Amino acid sequence: MYRMVKGYRDNDLLRGSFNELAKETFGLNFEDWYQNGFWSDSYEPYSVVEDHRVVANVSLNRTDMLYGGSVRRFFQLGTVMTRETYRNRGLCRRLMEWIEADCRDCGEGSYLFANNSVLGFYPKFGFQKAKEYQYSRRFSNRGECQFVKVPMNDHGKWKKLEQAMERNQFRGRLDLVGNRGLIMFYVTKFMQDSVYYHQGTDTYVIGEQQGEKLFLHQVFSGTLSDLEAVAELFGRDVRQVTLGFVPMETDGYDIAELQEEDCTFFIKGPGMEFVEEEKLRIPSLAHA
């Protein structure tokens, strides 16, 4: 018989089953994230379990955002998955309804990113498609790159980056706050080779460079608040910067509707409508 459970991250049996399903569905395993201490209360799977085995799941991510000087509480749904032999039984519908009941009066809105195969599912729960916007700019930098790449391959380096997050003076217009674990999920798994540091300004950058193009996911700096100053430290190697967030000052930036393959942005609640209205985007490292 089915039962619905949540709050089981410290249950080795259920967590292991959850990881097994995530690996089958997305090629992901959350176990190292858990063992390294980054799986916090901000990420909570809501699951259907049968015989101590997770057969369906929708995860709730608490993603508070700093905007206009105040923190706004949002929820992101993700890791939506069902074992193949349990599909078409309405299990995810039950989980979505459970999450809705839990969060109805807790935040200002919710959002998710859906692949093309399920675009008709989420409107049944009041979600609607919305637009995001991406900012990019050409730079004419000179000199040598002053950033040093820091492989994120041990606890000591992770700790230093976390400490830099606490000292951070750099802000985008819409910043993820209070969910350090989500950023560390990326850094400790897929982006171990995408972190740079400049000691003189105490600045960490999480970015991906291809030739003269840099995709800048996030900046954490103890001294810098100006994006131009950060870009200048990359020297002549970088001529074009595309941002995974929205800069505080947008003058001089090219603005385009964000288009990602097999990924549609859905929102729910009037508290989320400002993202499209103000031509913002959810920070790239706030995707779950």
Side-chain angles (χ1 to χ4, degrees), residues 30-275:
F30 294 77
E31 187 61 22
D32 56 346
W33 190 51
Y34 171 81
Q35 295 295 340
N36 291 326
F38 297 125
W39 184 338
S40 71
D41 291 338
S42 293
Y43 180 81
E44 186 163 26
Y46 283 63
S47 301
V48 176
V49 173
E50 184 179 56
D51 295 330
H52 306 290
R53 189 169 181 239
V54 174
V55 299
N57 181 81
V58 179
S59 290
L60 181 69
N61 301 271
R62 293 166 179 82
T63 52
D64 292 351
M65 299 281 180
L66 181 64
Y67 178 73
S70 61
V71 174
R72 306 177 70 167
R73 169 148 292 185
F74 301 119
F75 296 99
Q76 178 181 186
L77 303 186
T79 328
V80 181
M81 53 189 181
T82 305
R83 292 190 187 274
E84 187 172 359
T85 55
Y86 289 84
R87 292 173 185 170
N88 301 314
R89 301 187 190 184
L91 300 183
C92 280
R93 173 183 291 276
R94 292 170 61 182
L95 293 172
M96 294 282 289
E97 291 170 349
W98 186 16
I99 290 174
E100 169 70 18
D102 270 6
C103 300
R104 186 174 292 118
D105 300 317
C106 299
E108 299 183 49
S110 54
Y111 64 96
L112 57 89
F113 299 92
N115 60 47
N116 294 342
S117 65
V118 291
L119 297 185
F121 178 67
Y122 296 107
K124 298 175 182 178
F125 301 93
F127 284 89
Q128 60 185 22
K129 293 180 182 179
K131 296 178 181 178
E132 295 181 280
Y133 292 84
Q134 185 163 270
Y135 290 71
S136 61
R137 181 175 172 179
R138 298 284 300 181
F139 287 90
S140 300
N141 297 329
R142 298 182 179 182
E144 301 296 327
C145 178
Q146 298 183 50
F147 277 103
V148 175
K149 186 172 283 190
V150 182
M152 290 285 112
N153 53 10
D154 64 55
H155 287 269
K157 292 171 183 175
W158 300 340
K159 186 63 175 179
K160 288 182 178 179
L161 178 58
E162 287 187 279
Q163 291 170 344
M165 294 180 189
E166 295 176 0
R167 301 190 299 269
N168 185 37
Q169 302 296 315
F170 186 92
R171 292 293 178 193
R173 287 186 62 196
L174 183 66
D175 272 358
L176 177 70
V177 294
N179 194 337
R180 192 177 302 164
L182 185 50
I183 295 173
M184 297 307 293
F185 180 82
Y186 283 97
V187 169
T188 60
K189 295 174 78 68
F190 319 114
M191 296 183 177
Q192 288 192 11
D193 294 323
S194 301
V195 178
Y196 302 80
Y197 183 64
H198 181 252
Q199 185 173 7
T201 59
D202 185 29
T203 300
Y204 278 92
V205 163
I206 304 172
E208 298 171 275
Q209 185 177 353
Q210 291 186 339
E212 66 173 16
K213 296 181 179 180
L214 174 69
F215 189 94
L216 191 55
H217 289 282
Q218 191 64 61
V219 177
F220 299 106
S221 180
T223 63
L224 299 180
S225 58
D226 182 3
L227 189 54
E228 289 190 41
V230 175
E232 186 176 353
L233 290 172
F234 276 94
R236 68 174 70 95
D237 292 344
V238 170
R239 296 294 183 180
Q240 180 172 324
V241 176
T242 301
L243 303 178
F245 57 93
V246 178
M248 278 294 191
E249 301 296 332
T250 59
D251 290 345
Y253 284 86
D254 295 323
I255 307 172
E257 184 181 334
L258 179 59
Q259 302 281 354
E260 293 185 293
E261 185 177 354
D262 197 22
C263 182
T264 299
F265 181 49
F266 280 90
I267 63 172
K268 182 175 182 178
M272 286 297 305
E273 293 176 355
F274 78 107
V275 174

